[in-house]
Structure formats: structure tokens, C-alpha cells
């Protein structure tokens, strides 16, 4: 445990000019006193780490000291080669760079670990697109990816719902969701200052022109957290209608597979106790009654629509037709 922590401490100091005891303690999840003891242990072991006292001080490595990746365990090395989705890297035009990086990492590993890339590939494969959907790479994805890497502003024409619009964007990050690429970008500074971060489907870009100037990236921006929050907001924004449904225990378990998972989670969390027959009544957010009909049909007799009356009547008519078919 301590050996792994010491290696991590060296790698942290190797990646930054200096770190305070408080910063190291936070990264290593130990006390500042433990950091002091670990720094002394590293120094005694021949690692040139020293501390500057006073304001602006901290722990540093002397003279550009570098360590090789000989501290990697087999599981860590194999996990390293699973850190990207090969198809996604290829679509962004980064396959050659990723391949070169894997070769360099392999060369730095101990001989006993150099088969890590092969053993990982034999056991795990990440396939991002949804079933029954032909994956299509947006032609402008490599240009967008280059701008994201270089923090370059772009002038982009985007096909909106009603017309094409042109925007000067600061491209912060790319997300691959169920085979569809999205760009998280801020509208560049204008008369009213910088705009809010927005999400654009990359396949709707008509043109993307990278500008010479770079933008100042917000150091606090967290792409996974932003995407999670925005995805949940989007899921809720399209749920403009409600239906009341009585579910069996099996129907409650299957609800998230039939309707939007966020809507299912909210509905079940707000539901009361089951009735004497074990059925629970929920108020479910839906995109429309038409969509609700298609989704809830998948639950069959495990779901009974109570309202609105028109939707209940439609399910009753479906049931009568099914009964006629099977009685015949």
C-alpha cells in the first residue's frame, strides 16, 4: 500500500513544478504528516525530492528527475490499454497518435508486462454504437477534434431545427453517446460577453473553420460532470406530458427498460406503497401520449394505464383486438 503511494507521489511531482503538502495530502488521501514522512523516505531511497519553505514553497524534484514506468502492476498496465475506444479514436483521426503512444508505453514497461496490450484486447472490447443502428462518422469530426485538442476557436455553420445558423464557438469537449457524437462548446465572446456552454450534434455541422486564435479554457470545467447534468436536463425537458399507470412488481422492475430511465426513476421514487395485489401506482413523465402508447405496450399486462382517459381507451381497444385475435 505504501509502495504504491510513494510511486504515485513521485509521479505527481514529476508532472508538476511543485506541490504543497496540503495538495499532496489531498491527492494521496493521507495526512500532511504522512506526506512529510513519505518525502523523507523517498529522499533516503535516492529520489531527489526536497521541500521549499515559505510562501510559494512546496515539494519538488531536483533537476528534471524522471522515473520509468517500472512501478506498474500487470492489472494497471492492462487497464491502461483499455483507456480508449479504438473506433472513437479512429473517427477523430487519432488512431496513429494512439498507436504510437501505446508503442512508447509498451517500450517503457518491464519485459514481463509488454504483452499487456494483447491480453487486454483478448478480454475486453468496447463497442459504443447502439444495436440496430448503422454507425456513421460525421465528416467534420476530425476537424472538430483538432480544434478541441488545440483550444482553437472555430466558425461553424450548424443545421438547426428551422434554419442554418453561424456561430463562433469555443470547443471544450467531445462526447460519444450511443454512437452519436456531441460537441460541448461555448459561444465565443460577443457584445454581451461569453455565452453559456451548449451541446451540438456534430453530424449537424455544415462547415467548421478553425481560427488562428486560441481561447482561454476554464480550468474548472469538468466534461463528464457537465455532460451528466446536461443529459439529465435534456431527458426531463422532453417529458412534457404525464400518464398515471398501475404496475405489477414485474412491471415496476421493467419500467426503466421500456421508458426513459430518468422518468422511470423519478416516477418510482415518488410512488406510494403497493396495494393489496402488490401493484404500485405511478405518475410517469412522457414525451407524448403517442410515445407513451408505444413504450407502455412493451409492458403488456404488467402495466394498466389509469389516465388520461383517451390513452386508457386506446389500450382497452388494443386489448379487445388482441383477445379477438387469440380467441379466433
Amino acid at each position: 500500500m505504501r509502495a504504491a503511494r510513494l510511486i504515485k507521489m513521485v509521479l505527481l511531482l514529476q508532472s508538476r513544478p511543485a506541490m504543497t503538502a496540503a495538495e499532496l495530502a489531498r491527492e494521496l488521501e493521507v495526512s500532511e504528516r504522512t506526506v512529510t514522512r513519505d518525502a523523507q523516505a523517498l529522499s533516503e531511497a535516492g529520489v531527489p525530492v526536497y521541500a521549499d519553505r515559505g510562501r510559494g514553497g512546496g515539494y519538488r524534484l531536483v533537476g528534471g528527475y524522471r522515473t520509468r514506468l517500472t512501478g506498474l502492476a500487470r492489472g494497471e498496465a492492462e487497464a491502461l490499454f483499455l483507456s480508449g475506444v479504438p473506433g472513437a479514436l479512429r473517427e477523430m483521426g487519432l488512431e496513429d497518435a494512439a498507436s504510437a503512444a501505446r508503442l512508447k508505453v509498451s517500450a517503457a514497461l518491464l519485459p514481463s508486462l509488454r504483452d499487456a496490450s494483447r491480453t487486454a484486447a483478448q478480454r475486453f472490447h468496447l463497442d459504443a454504437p447502439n444495436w440496430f443502428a448503422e454507425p456513421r462518422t460525421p465528416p467534420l469530426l476530425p476537424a472538430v477534434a483538432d480544434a478541441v485538442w488545440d483550444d482553437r476557436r472555430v466558425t461553424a455553420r450548424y443545421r438547426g431545427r428551422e434554419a442554418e445558423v453561424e456561430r463562433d464557438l469555443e470547443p471544450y469537449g467531445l462526447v460519444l453517446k450511443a454512437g452519436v457524437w456531441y460537441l460541448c462548446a461555448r459561444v465565443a465572446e460577443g457584445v454581451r460577453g461569453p455565452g453559456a456552454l451548449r451541446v451540438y450534434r456534430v453530424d449537424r455541422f455544415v462547415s467548421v473553420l478553425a481560427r488562428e486564435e486560441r481561447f482561454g479554457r476554464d480550468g474548472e470545467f469538468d466534461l463528464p460532470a457537465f455532460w451528466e447534468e446536461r443529459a439529465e436536463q435534456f431527458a426531463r425537458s422532453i417529458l412534457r406530458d404525464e400518464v398515471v399507470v398501475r404496475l405489477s412488481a414485474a412491471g415496476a422492475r421493467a419500467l426503466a427498460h421500456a421508458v426513459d430511465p430518468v422518468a422511470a426513476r423519478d416516477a418510482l421514487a415518488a410512488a406510494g406503497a403497493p396495494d393489496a395485489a402488490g401493484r404500485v401506482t405511478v405518475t410517469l413523465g412522457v414525451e407524448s401520449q403517442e410515445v407513451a402508447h408505444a413504450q407502455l405496450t412493451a409492458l403488456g399486462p404488467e402495466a394498466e394505464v389509469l389516465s388520461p382517459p383517451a390513452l386508457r381507451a386506446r389500450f382497452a381497444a388494443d386489448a379487445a383486438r388482441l383477445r379477438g385475435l387469440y380467441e379466433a
Side-chain angles (χ1 to χ4, degrees), residues 187-314:
V187 178
E189 191 170 342
V191 177
R192 300 181 181 178
L197 280 160
R198 299 180 183 178
V199 176
Y200 300 87
R201 279 185 59 142
V202 177
D203 59 5
R204 292 183 182 170
F205 282 117
V206 177
S207 65
V208 174
L209 176 64
R211 308 267 288 277
E212 287 298 321
E213 68 267 25
R214 289 181 167 87
F215 63 90
R217 177 177 288 269
D218 181 357
E220 300 298 316
F221 176 69
D222 184 334
L223 180 59
F226 170 79
W227 177 258
E228 182 179 1
E229 178 186 356
R230 192 56 60 91
E232 189 159 318
Q233 287 177 358
F234 172 75
R236 288 198 168 97
S237 71
I238 64 173
L239 304 178
R240 303 183 182 90
D241 209 342
E242 287 184 344
V243 298
V244 179
V245 187
R246 184 182 292 127
L247 300 166
S248 68
R253 289 193 299 269
L255 186 63
H257 301 288
V259 304
D260 180 83
V262 173
R265 185 186 66 207
D266 290 350
L268 292 171
D275 60 19
R279 289 181 169 256
V280 62
T281 299
V282 301
T283 300
L284 180 69
V286 295
E287 188 173 347
S288 66
Q289 291 189 33
E290 188 68 31
V291 171
H293 177 262
Q295 293 175 333
L296 294 175
T297 296
L299 297 179
E302 307 304 329
E304 177 191 359
V305 172
L306 302 180
S307 70
L311 185 60
R312 179 178 174 85
R314 187 169 178 181

Side-chain angles (χ1 to χ4, degrees), residues 87-102:
L89 293 172
R90 183 172 57 253
E91 292 178 4
M92 287 190 291
L94 298 175
E95 185 176 28
D96 290 343
S99 177
R102 285 193 293 268

